[in-house]
Amino acid sequence: MIQIRSCAEGCILSVRAQPGARRTGIVGEQNGALKVAVSAPPDKGRANAAVQEVLCEELGLKRSQVELLAGSASRDKKFLLRGVPPESVSQMLRTILADA
């Protein structure tokens, strides 16, 4: 189960990044985190920006609503999703993962 914690500004989503992948998108779940594959290399924050972009596109959020909180130099990351309740994110992810 993907970890989504509630916070005052919205919710915090655990993400496992896979930089340098052939395809970009949400792949599934790994160890309680949403697994996101991006073709960008893990160089100078390019993979972080690509993961942020995938989250924006797939969840239908604005770029200002998605912020990297922790894990800028790690594959395991925490993203703040502003103004979105955890229940909504959980439902969106179930739909996305069912289609994948």
Side-chain angles (χ1 to χ4, degrees):
M1 184 161 183
I2 298 169
Q3 293 179 3
I4 304 169
R5 291 192 343 236
S6 180
C7 72
E9 294 184 55
C11 64
I12 298 172
L13 175 66
S14 295
V15 174
R16 173 77 174 174
Q18 181 184 349
R22 288 180 191 243
R23 294 186 186 159
T24 297
I26 293 177
V27 178
E29 184 261 339
Q30 183 177 358
N31 296 331
L34 179 67
K35 188 169 182 184
V36 179
V38 293
S39 57
D43 182 43
K44 298 179 184 172
R46 286 191 266 182
N48 291 334
V51 170
Q52 180 183 17
E53 192 64 34
V54 168
L55 292 175
C56 290
E57 288 176 15
E58 294 288 337
L59 299 176
L61 301 174
K62 296 177 186 174
R63 194 171 201 162
S64 62
Q65 289 180 283
V66 180
E67 179 186 340
L68 178 63
L69 289 180
S72 62
S74 169
R75 286 180 182 234
D76 296 313
K77 303 178 183 304
K78 301 282 186 200
F79 279 91
L80 170 63
L81 306 179
R82 280 193 180 85
V84 186
E87 301 81 29
S88 296
V89 174
S90 181
Q91 184 178 359
M92 286 187 272
L93 291 177
R94 272 195 299 263
T95 303
I96 291 167
L97 294 173
D99 293 342

